Structures are given as C-alpha cells and as structure tokens.
Amino acid sequence: MSDETTTGLNNRKILMWVFLGSDCMFFASLIGTYLIYKGMGLPHPGPSDVFDIPTTSVSTFVLLMSSMSMVFAYAYLVRSNIKAFRIWMISTIIMGATFLGFQIFEFSEFYFHDHLSPQTNLFGTTFYALTGTHGIHVTIGVVWLGIIFYSSLFRNTVSAKTNLDLDLAALYWHFVDIVWIVIFAVVYLFGTFKGFPS
Amino acid sequence: MVTNQKNKINKSDIHEHNHPSVITYFKVAIALISLTALEVVVYYFDWLGYGIIPVMAVLSIGKFAIVVMYYMHLKFDSKLFTYLFMAGLILAMVVILWLMALFGWFK
C-alpha cells in the first residue's frame, strides 16, 4: 500500500527507521555503561562465574533462525501465499518465545544458583539492565507478531496489500536480532574469554 | 506535476516488491549460522589474546551488516532509510566511545 508523500516513501516506514536509529542510541548507552563498569566493584559473581556459552550460543542460534523465519513469512505474504505466511509466522513466534524461555532460564539460574541479582554488584546491575531491556524488546516483538498472526487467522485482515504492517513488525524483529548479535559478542564472548592477559 | 506525483507513488511501490527471493534469504541464514559458529570456535582460541577483539569485531559487524542489508532490505530500499539508520548507529557508536573515554578506557 503506498501513500502520496513528499518523499515518495511511506511515512510509517520512515518513522520506524527513525525509531530504530534512536533505539540504537538507547542500547548504546546500556552497552557503554556495561563496558565502563566492567571489572569494577565486587568481582564475584562475575561473567566467568555465571555465563554458559554453549547454552547462550543455542539461544543465539534460535533468534537468528527466527529472523530467517520472519523474512520467509514476509516473502510469502507479498506473494499472497497466506498458508505459507502463517506457517512461518507461527514458527517465528515460537522461536521468539523459545529465546525468551532461554533468557528466563538463564536469569533464574543466575539468581538462584549463582546468587547474582541486580543489587549484588555492578556487573549484575549493568548486565540485567542491558539484557533485560533486550528481553522486553523481544517480548514486545512476540506480542506484535502474535497480534498480526491472530488478525490473519481470525479477522482475515492480513494480505499482500497490507504487507507494510508486517514489514514494520519485521524491521523491529530484525533490529532485536542485530542488537543481540552485539550483546552476544561484547557481553558473553568477551566477558568470559580466557585469553586476555590478566 | 501530475507525472511527478505519479513517479513518487511508483517509487514507494517498487521498494515493497524489489526484495530478494526466498533462496537468497536462506543463503543469508546459512551465512549467519556460519559466522556465529566461527565466533564460538574463535572464542576457544585463548592464544589470540587481545587479537580476539578485531577478529570478533569483524565477524559481528559482518553479521550485523548482512541482517541489515538483506533481512531489513536496506540494500534494496530507498537510501533515505539507510541514512536515517546510519545516523542513529554512528551516534550510538560515538556514545559508547565517548563514555569509554570519559571513564579512562583509552589511557
């Protein structure tokens, strides 16, 4: 669906890109805060004490696959293949929810097993603030995709003509994915890398 | 004037349909999985020392760029979207580097 605008581009899509650009700065402030407080305050429990790289690698894989599933859903909607669109949409939602499940599992392990809470030390504060904010973004994404899926299934309001609605949700979903790409490398991999000289 | 307006409308039509095929999306997914696997493998190379930082940066930036270009369609959409996003991204990197400089990371 196209609107007549001075730029020739859809204003909602421009607005979404402006929002994503501003959200980059939001996450930058959280990542920056995590980095500057890294190694300060009480050292234990620290990243090496709590992180389990194989588990987080699996959850990263799930989120990356959800992005692939999302573009498949979009591609099939544009081609008016509603059945395939619904299959890929539900798989995206399931993978998004699975990622959240991993995060809940991880947080509960850290809290109950490793006794790491946001009040424990600076690492706990900055880690939960950063990954918790990302988790909230994922939750919003899952709900948004869920609403689109529901609309497609029960209200029949999703079609190739309204693909911009899905396009905007997909942009948001991929953004959540790229933020995690950065968090996974900076927080998890650098945080526990054993090769740094002590 | 009328022709001009028609052209504008057509431009916004094109960006919605000029996207890659499903096969391309699948190939991109394979690239993302490979780069993530490579990140995890490199993570176990302790002998890299601080050398892991540029290696990991290249791998992460590669993944980031692939998702933005292909899955978010910036490679195919209007350049205005790229400018808007890059403005935010560059400011974000400045925020991080500025914070790190303020707290003496580069001393």
Side-chain angles (χ1 to χ4, degrees), chain A residues 25 28-30 32, chain B residues 89-100:
Chain A
M25 288 183 271
S29 65
L30 291 170
Chain B
L89 192 61
I90 290 166
L91 275 171
M93 286 189 284
V94 169
V95 165
I96 292 178
L97 293 173
W98 203 292
L99 271 172
M100 290 169 79

Side-chain angles (χ1 to χ4, degrees), chain A residues 87-159:
Chain A
I87 290 170
W88 288 109
M89 269 301 274
I90 194 67
S91 76
T92 308
I93 293 166
I94 289 169
M95 283 191 269
T98 305
F99 176 84
L100 284 174
F102 269 107
Q103 198 163 37
I104 291 165
F105 167 76
E106 187 181 53
F107 280 12
S108 57
E109 276 288 299
F110 294 172
Y111 189 83
F112 295 109
H113 184 259
D114 302 311
H115 307 292
L116 178 73
S117 77
Q119 292 86 24
T120 307
N121 54 17
L122 279 171
F123 165 65
T125 309
T126 53
F127 169 77
Y128 281 116
L130 173 58
T131 55
T133 304
H134 180 265
I136 290 168
H137 274 70
V138 177
T139 308
I140 292 169
V142 169
V143 171
W144 190 352
L145 297 179
I147 290 169
I148 293 174
F149 183 71
Y150 176 86
S151 302
S152 155
L153 213 56
F154 297 109
R155 294 171 62 196
N156 218 17
T157 53
V158 181
S159 68

Side-chain angles (χ1 to χ4, degrees), chain B residues 2-105:
Chain B
V2 173
T3 316
N4 207 11
Q5 281 178 345
K6 268 187 180 173
N7 285 342
K8 282 174 181 174
I9 294 166
N10 285 342
K11 257 169 74 182
S12 66
D13 278 343
I14 288 164
H15 86 257
E16 287 165 14
H17 300 290
N18 192 22
H19 292 164
S21 65
V22 172
I23 295 295
T24 308
Y25 288 142
F26 184 71
K27 285 178 185 169
V28 169
I30 298 294
L32 288 172
I33 295 166
S34 307
L35 288 173
T36 306
L38 199 57
E39 272 184 345
V40 176
V41 169
V42 167
Y43 165 80
Y44 290 101
F45 293 164
D46 294 350
W47 49 268
L48 275 173
Y50 285 118
I52 196 172
I53 295 175
V55 173
M56 212 61 96
V58 167
L59 292 172
S60 296
I61 291 168
K63 283 164 68 182
F64 191 101
I66 287 172
V67 173
V68 170
M69 285 191 330
Y70 288 93
Y71 283 0
M72 297 172 88
H73 304 133
L74 274 190
K75 189 175 161 57
F76 313 97
D77 274 351
S78 166
K79 287 278 173 267
L80 180 66
F81 299 139
T82 306
Y83 299 145
L84 289 172
F85 186 62
M86 286 307 291
L89 192 61
I90 290 166
L91 275 171
M93 286 189 284
V94 169
V95 165
I96 292 178
L97 293 173
W98 203 292
L99 271 172
M100 290 169 79
L102 276 175
F103 281 77
W105 261 64

Side-chain angles (χ1 to χ4, degrees), chain A residues 43-54:
Chain A
H44 297 289
S48 301
D49 302 318
V50 297
F51 289 159
D52 180 31
I53 296 301

